[in-house]
Amino acid sequence: MTGAVGGPRVLLRRLREVMASPAPPDRRLDAVVRLIAANMVSEVCSIYVARGGEILELFATEGLKKEAVHKTRLRFHEGLVGEIAATGTPLNLSNAQTHPKFVYKPETGEEVYQSLLGVPILRAGRVVGVLVVQNRTQRHYSEEEAEALQTVAMVLAELVGSSELVRPEEVSATLERAATPSFEVLTLAEGIAIGRAVLHEPIIEIHDHVARDPDEEIERLNRAFAGLHQQIDRLMSAEDMKSGEHREILDVYKMFASDRGWQQRIHDAIASGLTAEAAVERVQIENRARLQKTSDAYLRERLGDLDDLSNRLNRHLAGKLGTAASDSLPDDAIVLARSMGPAELLEYDRSKLRGVILQDGSAMAHVTIVARALGIPLVGQAGDVVNRITSDELVVIDGDAGWIYISPSAEIVQSYQETVAARTERTAQYEALRDAPSTTVDGTEIELLMNAGLGIDLPQLERTGAKGIGLFRTEFQFMVGAQMPRLETQIEYYSQVLQAAEDRPVVFRTLDIGGDKPVSFMARDEEENPALGWRAIRVALDRPALLRYQIRALLEAAVGRGLNVMFPMIAELAEYRAARAIVDKEIERRQRMGLDLPTKVRIGTMVEVPSLAWHLEPLLAHVDFISIGSNDLMQFFFAADRGNPKVGSRYDLLSPPALSLFHHIISTAHRHGVPVTFCGELGGKTLEAMALIGLGLRRLSISSASIGPVKMMVRSLTLGSLETYMKDLLLLGDRSVRGRLMAYAHDHGVVL
Ligand code: PEP
Ligand code: MG
């Protein structure tokens, strides 16, 4: 080790001494990391130990924050440490933060360290841990240094892979990594859930096998078939089933359900003396045996469809068409479904529902939106895994990493229970801040509002201590229903929202439909670029009745109190004026009719189309407030589709061009004395929120889950120097200033 304190042999000898000492194992590890750090002239040396379930836990560190020990956990493949463990090979990086696998664990404070050398700790050819050194500067670790660290890791394996650190069962669980079946799935709503499997569409258990009257059984079967056909036709006519994967499944169902051969075989089975249910079951057993043997992969894949269809038929026979939501649920239900609509999800008892696994499912599906609002972990694209889980089986969903475990070992369950407990503790810390002011160390108030869109979001207002709702997405109510909500329904809904908000302000955004938010009651032409297409205010101005009714409902619901209305996707002043004219007309209409009005109507617009950002001066004279919608604004600004995983996060929004645009909007609004809120997802991330506040922003509307972390950040922030620092960042040629901002936060004690 060049430049090291003592040569490698000296280090190894001292390591042996430390490891042979009678001190408790964690003390020995602490001494080991101190020794290695000093020897390698590294600011950081850390040891991660593999625990059951392919999890790497920080066990000892010199240089990172001590409170991260036993808290920071990474899954194999996650982050640089996870990559080293998963591949079993070292990583030597002089600029670790630009590596695509880099993930930031805020509790470690590792953001200021640029270079990283990490090696796997191997025992009997298996990865039992990872040893890492880090330096602040962009250091190039030499070949010899990398080799020396590997030698050190070999020596460490004695201790790290032993049962002194983790229980023996866990060591063997780590060694036999595939012992518990685990599957990669797509994360749709984050979070961890541990619970018992519940089949969304329960499997009918057959108690009566022998028919008393075969004719009656045939009649029952025919009625069940008729019901099944109707059910499939109904599903196929639903608007969101007109194309895509769901549609293909239904086409297959329709084909099978109409298959005469299938029907005939069930008839024959009844004729042999079975009840209709038993006959369906018997034919399915035959199908299964036949299809499992076939070499035709397509037919084998269809087996799950046929299983499902047979079960549906039996549910028609048993007259049990409801989902598991209407049955009694275990206290920790993990619901498994081939597909599920948002309304079906809402039928479940929230206090018992822990998580959902979908065979298909996508990020933009309505059920996903609802699951996120409910805070329920949801994973999709689980394929036939859904069929492999039986009712009441223990399941763990890791909705952060995108994994599920079926019947996991006690060690895996325990390690997830610990993670859940650590999160609960963090949530408790945030809850303790509920009534604390959201004020910086130097006394500037940052107003924190909440984004909402469903009735179920509303209790979060109380829970988080948000000052109001800065963005209420009214379209969700329109998206979950099959029909356009009637005027009375809308009035009732908005009244409930206002009632729940009590005296806090609520900003209702008028319908933002189209694009990625289709509604079933309105036919749409196929569009090549729906995000740039006929959506939001464009639909509203072309079909003014929709907006008129919505405004009518809002004015009625807000009688006697203030009403805030905001328009989405306004691209030019003329559009804003046209939309505003509709509100003015509705106000006049009420006046003419002698009806009461809200005490004050404030009207504003989202700034989420770049053109509007360059038309602010004239616009600001006509609005009561504006709100920056970074989700759309940034996808148009960088010409990168927010829903396309290949490009959605390609550009760092903490970059000079994006920050300059935000700065321009914020400062122009302030110059005109017009309040400006930031309501895109970005504002809910602590580092991004810090940057925006540094650009002059004083009001954020963020998801309820972000209020606690952002408030904690605000309360640790001293604004003074940040504002000057931000101005300098805007002038840089860097593609991202994330690293600089992280270092700033670290050096100034900002809690991220
Ligand atoms: C936005 O575009 O930033 C926004 C808040 O609106 P939505 O995410 O609903 O499009
Ligand atoms: Mg938007």
Side-chain angles (χ1 to χ4, degrees):
M1 297 181 192
T2 17
V5 181
R9 238 170 289 131
V10 180
L11 173 64
L12 288 187
R13 205 180 56 234
R14 295 196 48 201
L15 263 182
R16 280 245 163 79
E17 283 166 16
V18 170
M19 286 184 26
S21 89
D26 50 349
R27 290 269 202 76
R28 276 181 272 157
L29 276 191
D30 285 344
V32 164
V33 287
R34 264 198 310 274
L35 202 58
I36 301 172
N39 197 276
M40 292 214 47
V41 198
S42 292
E43 281 103 349
V44 174
C45 174
S46 312
I47 293 175
Y48 294 80
V49 177
R51 307 205 57 171
E54 303 197 348
I55 287 163
L56 295 152
E57 183 174 306
L58 181 64
F59 260 64
T61 184
E62 169 70 9
L64 297 186
K65 291 188 191 159
K66 292 286 180 214
E67 56 266 34
V69 170
H70 296 304
K71 232 187 221 152
T72 294
R73 291 167 152 225
L74 293 143
R75 153 168 310 291
F76 276 48
H77 286 292
E78 188 191 356
L80 299 174
V81 170
E83 190 63 10
I84 295 166
T87 56
T89 46
L91 271 181
N92 182 351
L93 305 166
S94 58
N95 191 352
Q97 297 186 7
T98 56
H99 191 282
K101 278 279 177 176
F102 177 78
V103 293
Y104 170 51
K105 293 277 173 181
E107 70 276 12
T108 61
E110 70 179 339
E111 64 275 9
V112 293
Y113 301 105
Q114 306 257 7
S115 47
L116 175 145
L117 172 63
V119 297
I121 305 175
L122 297 158
R123 189 175 154 118
R126 312 269 188 173
V127 176
V128 291
V130 174
L131 171 65
V132 178
V133 292
Q134 290 171 277
N135 279 76
R136 248 170 209 264
T137 52
Q138 296 204 348
R139 170 168 166 187
H140 293 274
Y141 302 99
S142 69
E143 264 318 300
E144 299 90 90
E145 284 174 320
E147 275 170 25
L149 200 64
Q150 277 175 284
T151 314
V152 168
M154 260 171 58
V155 177
L156 279 180
E158 267 175 55
L159 176 62
V160 171
S162 77
S163 51
E164 276 192 273
L165 289 184
V166 288
R167 280 163 304 134
E169 309 83 7
E170 229 175 308
V171 176
S172 59
T174 310
L175 293 180
E176 296 158 26
R177 278 174 19 198
T180 290
S182 61
F183 301 90
E184 190 161 11
V185 287
L186 179 71
T187 294
L188 298 171
E190 291 178 357
I192 287 170
I194 306 167
R196 300 263 154 207
V198 170
L199 306 183
H200 177 55
E201 296 182 333
I203 294 194
I204 300 294
E205 278 181 45
I206 302 166
H207 300 291
D208 240 353
H209 286 81
V210 182
R212 272 178 292 272
D213 176 358
D215 289 342
E216 195 187 314
E217 295 301 313
I218 296 280
E219 219 166 272
R220 288 181 63 226
L221 180 73
N222 290 343
R223 275 201 304 274
F225 259 113
L228 180 67
H229 282 292
Q230 273 171 14
Q231 187 189 26
I232 295 172
D233 288 343
R234 222 176 21 250
L235 284 172
M236 287 178 105
S237 64
E239 184 63 29
D240 54 356
M241 293 284 178
K242 292 256 152 79
S243 61
E245 217 172 311
H246 286 71
R247 176 66 187 199
E248 283 166 32
I249 294 173
L250 287 176
D251 282 337
V252 172
Y253 276 23
K254 177 113 186 130
M255 189 182 83
F256 282 140
S258 315
D259 180 46
R260 295 234 162 262
W262 186 42
Q263 294 181 19
Q264 188 55 51
R265 279 163 48 223
I266 302 174
H267 274 130
D268 293 348
I270 293 176
S272 76
L274 294 177
T275 57
E277 292 89 335
V280 171
E281 173 77 7
R282 196 173 92 230
V283 169
Q284 188 51 17
I285 290 170
E286 288 165 15
N287 280 340
R288 230 176 272 145
R290 221 160 18 96
L291 287 176
Q292 270 162 352
K293 268 191 252 137
T294 170
S295 55
D296 184 331
Y298 175 79
L299 274 181
R300 268 202 319 272
E301 277 171 23
R302 297 281 73 82
L303 184 58
D305 297 336
L306 256 182
D307 273 335
D308 187 52
L309 202 61
S310 295
N311 189 44
R312 269 172 203 260
L313 189 57
N314 268 344
R315 289 169 58 216
H316 279 276
L317 277 167
K320 283 193 183 159
L321 292 178
T323 67
S326 46
D327 297 343
S328 74
L329 290 177
D331 286 343
D332 53 355
I334 303 246
V335 173
L336 306 170
R338 306 194 113 217
S339 61
M340 193 192 276
E344 286 178 305
L345 178 58
L346 287 169
E347 277 165 19
Y348 280 92
D349 177 349
R350 176 69 196 89
S351 67
K352 294 184 170 174
L353 184 61
R354 295 282 171 274
V356 179
I357 303 175
L358 293 183
Q359 173 162 326
D360 37 31
S362 73
M364 293 301 170
H366 306 164
V367 67
T368 305
I369 295 168
V370 174
R372 284 198 199 126
L374 287 170
I376 294 174
L378 170 72
V379 291
Q381 307 289 324
D384 78 329
V385 171
V386 170
N387 297 331
R388 289 200 233 166
I389 305 175
T390 48
S391 182
D392 210 36
E393 203 165 5
L394 189 64
V395 179
V396 170
I397 300 179
D398 183 341
D400 294 347
W403 283 88
I404 51 175
Y405 298 89
I406 305 172
S407 287
S409 63
E411 291 69 39
I412 293 181
V413 174
Q414 193 191 339
S415 93
Y416 275 103
Q417 277 167 341
E418 285 168 11
T419 311
V420 170
R423 282 182 192 193
T424 313
E425 193 185 312
R426 221 177 309 147
T427 312
Q429 286 173 1
Y430 296 142
E431 276 172 5
L433 284 183
R434 183 190 169 284
D435 297 318
S438 170
T439 310
T440 63
V441 175
D442 41 358
T444 301
E445 195 196 334
I446 308 296
E447 196 174 337
L448 298 183
L449 304 152
M450 192 184 101
N451 290 346
L454 288 166
I456 42 182
D457 291 328
L458 299 172
Q460 295 297 338
L461 261 178
E462 236 353 271
R463 218 164 288 151
T464 58
K467 290 283 180 253
I469 298 178
L471 166 65
F472 191 89
R473 293 178 161 109
T474 60
E475 61 273 9
F476 285 179
Q477 190 206 15
F478 290 70
M479 284 164 67
V480 292
Q483 272 138 23
M484 180 177 146
R486 295 173 334 142
L487 183 66
E488 293 72 34
T489 318
Q490 289 189 50
I491 295 172
E492 198 185 314
Y493 183 55
Y494 302 142
S495 304
Q496 279 168 7
V497 175
L498 288 168
Q499 227 166 32
E502 295 176 353
D503 53 358
R504 304 175 189 94
V506 180
V507 177
F508 288 96
R509 182 176 70 184
T510 62
L511 274 185
D512 183 7
I513 52 176
D516 60 3
K517 297 176 190 159
V519 287
S520 50
F521 53 85
M522 223 159 87
R524 276 198 308 152
D525 297 331
E526 278 291 315
E527 290 182 308
E528 198 147 331
N529 292 302
L532 305 178
W534 197 56
R535 54 174 288 205
I537 202 69
R538 301 166 185 182
V539 176
L541 292 177
D542 293 355
R543 300 269 187 281
L546 213 61
L547 182 58
R548 213 163 36 229
Y549 274 91
Q550 191 175 27
I551 299 295
R552 204 167 283 181
L554 285 168
L555 287 170
E556 173 67 30
V559 165
R561 59 176 291 163
L563 173 67
N564 303 296
V565 179
M566 174 162 78
F567 304 121
M569 284 291 288
I570 296 281
E572 52 175 14
L573 176 56
E575 266 175 353
Y576 172 78
R577 294 173 93 158
R580 184 166 187 143
I582 292 178
V583 182
D584 290 338
K585 262 202 189 139
E586 283 302 309
I587 294 175
E588 280 162 28
R589 174 179 170 274
R590 285 188 76 87
Q591 282 167 334
R592 255 199 334 273
M593 294 170 76
L595 297 170
D596 287 339
L597 281 165
T599 47
K600 189 167 175 52
V601 181
R602 296 170 72 247
I603 304 175
T605 174
M606 300 274 294
V607 179
E608 55 180 343
V609 181
S611 58
L612 198 63
W614 305 108
H615 213 197
L616 284 178
E617 302 275 346
L619 172 84
L620 291 169
H622 299 267
V623 294
D624 296 310
F625 60 90
I626 61 169
S627 191
I628 303 174
S630 58
N631 307 346
D632 276 311
L633 185 61
M634 287 295 107
Q635 77 164 339
F636 302 136
F637 187 63
F638 282 112
D641 181 351
R642 69 193 248 193
N644 176 344
K646 286 210 185 72
V647 300
S649 50
R650 192 177 186 94
Y651 304 101
D652 196 342
L653 306 184
L654 287 181
S655 60
L659 293 174
S660 299
L661 177 62
F662 296 144
H663 183 236
H664 162 71
I665 301 170
I666 295 164
S667 54
T668 312
H670 284 170
R671 230 181 15 256
H672 286 76
V674 172
V676 52
T677 311
F678 193 100
C679 65
E681 296 298 318
L682 208 60
K685 300 182 180 158
T686 47
L687 186 70
E688 280 80 348
M690 181 191 90
L692 292 166
I693 292 167
L695 292 175
L697 190 78
R698 296 292 176 263
R699 186 180 292 161
L700 288 157
S701 189
I702 54 188
S703 72
S704 57
S706 298
I707 301 242
V710 170
K711 193 190 266 189
M712 203 175 261
M713 181 279 292
V714 166
R715 292 171 57 82
S716 67
L717 175 70
T718 306
L719 246 183
S721 61
L722 176 64
E723 298 201 287
T724 326
Y725 184 68
M726 286 303 301
K727 295 227 167 73
D728 292 340
L729 292 189
L730 299 184
L731 304 172
L732 294 176
D734 305 19
R735 74 175 291 267
S736 164
V737 292
R738 183 172 297 274
R740 289 173 194 269
L741 283 166
M742 279 185 189
Y744 179 93
H746 186 268
D747 293 345
H748 292 78
V750 183
V751 180
L752 294 179

